[in-house]
Amino acid sequence: MFDWVGLLLKAAYYYGQIIGLCNFKIDWQRGRVVAAQRSIIFAIAINVLICMVVLLQISKKFNLDSYFSKVNQLHQYVIIVMVSLRMASGVSTILNRWHQRAQLMRMAECVFRLFLKKPQVKQMSRWAILVKLSVAVVSDFLQMAISIDSVGRLGSKQFVGMALEFWMSAIINMALSQYYLIILFVRAYYHLLKTELRQVIHESQMLSETYPRRGAFMTKCCFLADRIDNIAKLQNELQSIVAQLNQMFDLQGMMVYVGYYIFFISTNYITYSLAKNGIEQLHLTVRAVALGFSWCFFYYMDAILNLFVILNLLDDHKELERILEDRTLFTSALDVRLEQSFESIQLQLIRNPFKFEVLDIFTITRSSSAAMMGSIITHSIFLIQYDMEYF
């Protein structure tokens, strides 16, 4: 059977190497991560080129009148903040990949080892992988189309800036895609853990309802205790992967969340400006506006996918805790070792709660996400009211 999921994952890996995000080599046959000299040299060359172009753009005077005609001062502030934050996010992502390179390699090896242990997780996540990578590819192509469309309206100097912005967007999107795929892999493993735990609890309940014959009863209890211990060990390993991932992406995560926040507010304001001033006054074409709004749609969709894979994993963890509560339905006491295994995994989940934190500033939950959306709407209204009053 044709393994199109594996082909997609390999294509994403090689794309990350081309844009300068991946600075190590993955041996797909053996499932190993190696520090190949060719990959290191290529990544250094691409990253140095990016930094040189960024420094060149910073040294030049940024004239927004080349992009929009009759642009007011508030437009300038909004656009400068958006572009600067995207550039800073891209550069910080590149620098962090070199700073955290050894940790990333160890984590990638751990993920591959678990992946080879349960290869069915790839098929379990195949449609989510397809949707995520498709949205990322369409977003990058639309960003490229926006840069190409700007050739007719901008000069060569401005086009270099647009191309650099596309490059940074591609780096950020690929980094977010890698984060998403690892969380998706952990979530698929959680589904296997929940299925295994339900089976163990069901067998334990059936065992508690039978007359305890000493030899067979104790053997069965020890077998179930071993399965519980394996579940606890695997759950701890998965949670450790997520904790390391969040630690390595802490600064990037903060910049990405701030970027989402600022971009959503800016998009609402720019939409209002288009409705107020018209396309012609802002020196835009219908095609440019259509490309821009299409890119915004896929950008929002990508943000929603990134958010919900985290929220769904948190829900899976809570469901794992709820499944363990069914052990209170046992009609009689089981073997001491099996009871201790159940208590051990429950204490493990209680003492080490599963949470996603952004730079230890705020925690990602459904309530905090809803509060963030409310704040975006409020600040969008404030920005539009400021424009109505002073411009």
Side-chain angles (χ1 to χ4, degrees), residues 166-188:
F166 159 72
W167 205 338
M168 291 300 175
S169 297
I171 288 174
I172 296 170
N173 288 343
M174 193 67 243
L176 288 175
S177 297
Q178 292 175 350
Y179 183 92
Y180 174 93
L181 291 174
I182 294 176
I183 298 298
L184 188 66
F185 162 80
V186 173
R187 187 167 179 241

Side-chain angles (χ1 to χ4, degrees), residues 275-289:
K276 175 185 176 181
N277 302 314
I279 297 175
E280 294 80 8
Q281 188 172 354
L282 294 177
H283 196 59
L284 293 172
T285 63
V286 176
R287 182 173 59 184
V289 174

Side-chain angles (χ1 to χ4, degrees), residues 194 197-198 201 319-326:
K194 290 189 297 183
L197 186 59
R198 286 193 183 98
I201 290 181
E319 187 177 354
L320 194 68
E321 295 177 344
R322 187 197 60 78
I323 293 173
L324 278 170
E325 294 175 358
D326 292 342

Side-chain angles (χ1 to χ4, degrees), residues 105-115 185 237 241:
M105 291 178 65
R106 287 195 297 268
M107 187 181 66
E109 284 188 348
C110 181
V111 170
F112 265 102
R113 179 173 54 80
L114 291 175
F115 175 77
F185 162 80
E237 194 168 0
I241 290 174

Side-chain angles (χ1 to χ4, degrees), residues 209-247:
E209 296 173 354
T210 61
Y211 181 78
R213 299 175 183 176
R214 184 174 181 81
F217 179 80
M218 293 185 63
T219 302
K220 184 65 175 179
C221 285
C222 290
F223 174 70
L224 294 175
D226 289 338
R227 292 171 64 181
I228 290 292
D229 291 341
N230 290 333
I231 292 173
K233 180 181 178 182
L234 184 55
Q235 189 279 330
N236 183 67
E237 194 168 0
L238 293 174
Q239 192 164 350
S240 177
I241 290 174
V242 174
Q244 293 177 26
L245 188 66
N246 291 331
Q247 185 179 4

Side-chain angles (χ1 to χ4, degrees), residues 22-127:
C22 297
N23 49 22
F24 51 82
K25 182 181 178 181
I26 296 178
D27 188 348
W28 295 91
Q29 300 294 331
R30 301 180 181 179
R32 296 177 57 190
V33 178
V34 294
Q37 186 175 5
R38 182 180 300 178
S39 300
I40 296 174
I41 294 175
F42 182 80
I44 291 175
I46 297 296
N47 294 164
V48 169
L49 177 61
I50 292 174
C51 293
M52 290 176 60
V53 176
V54 170
L55 293 175
L56 180 64
Q57 288 299 116
I58 293 175
S59 64
K60 294 193 307 182
K61 185 178 179 180
F62 189 63
N63 185 14
L64 284 174
D65 293 334
S66 302
Y67 295 86
F68 302 101
S69 63
K70 299 181 181 180
V71 62
N72 61 44
Q73 193 173 13
L74 187 57
H75 285 141
Q76 292 181 6
Y77 289 149
V78 170
I79 296 171
I80 288 174
V81 168
M82 289 176 59
V83 174
S84 300
L85 188 60
R86 184 160 292 270
M87 294 297 174
S89 299
V91 173
S92 65
T93 300
I94 293 173
L95 295 178
N96 187 68
R97 284 304 170 98
W98 289 105
H99 178 66
Q100 304 280 2
R101 182 169 174 268
Q103 292 176 292
L104 282 169
M105 291 178 65
R106 287 195 297 268
M107 187 181 66
E109 284 188 348
C110 181
V111 170
F112 265 102
R113 179 173 54 80
L114 291 175
F115 175 77
L116 294 176
K117 186 177 179 181
K118 298 282 186 180
Q120 62 266 36
V121 297
K122 182 171 64 175
Q123 293 300 320
M124 293 170 59
S125 309
R126 61 188 184 280
W127 298 117

